[in-house]
Amino acid sequence: MILSFGEVPQKHEVINIAYAFIQQKVKNWFNGELPIDPVMRVVAMLEQQAEDIGGNGVKNITVKILEGVDNDGDKVINVWGMGTIIKVEEGGKKISFNR
């Protein structure tokens, strides 16, 4: 699975758009939850959507974090994610991160 916050160099086909949303109460921070947890969950949800429809990557991932208040009056952060689900062609150019 390829997860990219930008474009990918491999030849690929665009399959669909993926969206995800998580809300986390600020009072739960460091009490079993870290502030980064909802971001990781949103990216994992985008990855799962790609897998569910036969994609093998998500490109141009965008994550927005907004503060707010839930129905109980508790401070929350709302994490919104979006990305383009792709299917990378077999035999495409390999990426190496070795120096």
Side-chain angles (χ1 to χ4, degrees):
M1 180 70 62
I2 294 173
L3 299 173
S4 173
F5 287 88
E7 193 56 64
V8 295
Q10 298 93 334
K11 286 188 128 192
H12 59 275
E13 166 190 3
V14 172
I15 296 179
N16 208 341
I17 302 294
Y19 297 94
F21 170 78
I22 293 285
Q23 185 176 78
Q24 183 186 52
K25 291 184 184 258
V26 173
K27 70 180 181 181
N28 292 341
W29 286 4
F30 306 109
N31 186 21
E33 293 184 27
L34 297 175
I36 192 67
D37 287 350
V39 174
M40 292 186 305
R41 281 188 232 135
V42 161
V43 173
M45 291 167 73
L46 299 175
E47 179 181 15
Q48 185 61 52
Q49 289 176 48
E51 190 175 294
D52 289 348
I53 65 170
N56 58 7
V58 183
K59 71 175 187 174
N60 298 326
I61 296 172
T62 302
V63 175
K64 293 197 185 264
I65 301 171
L66 303 170
E67 293 180 313
V69 177
D70 68 6
N71 293 338
D72 299 327
D74 294 328
K75 288 185 179 181
V76 296
I77 58 166
N78 297 306
V79 181
W80 301 85
M82 183 178 81
T84 305
I85 298 173
I86 60 172
K87 180 146 182 98
V88 176
E89 293 179 14
E90 294 296 322
K93 179 179 158 187
K94 288 203 171 200
I95 299 176
S96 175
F97 295 101
N98 298 333
R99 290 185 175 196

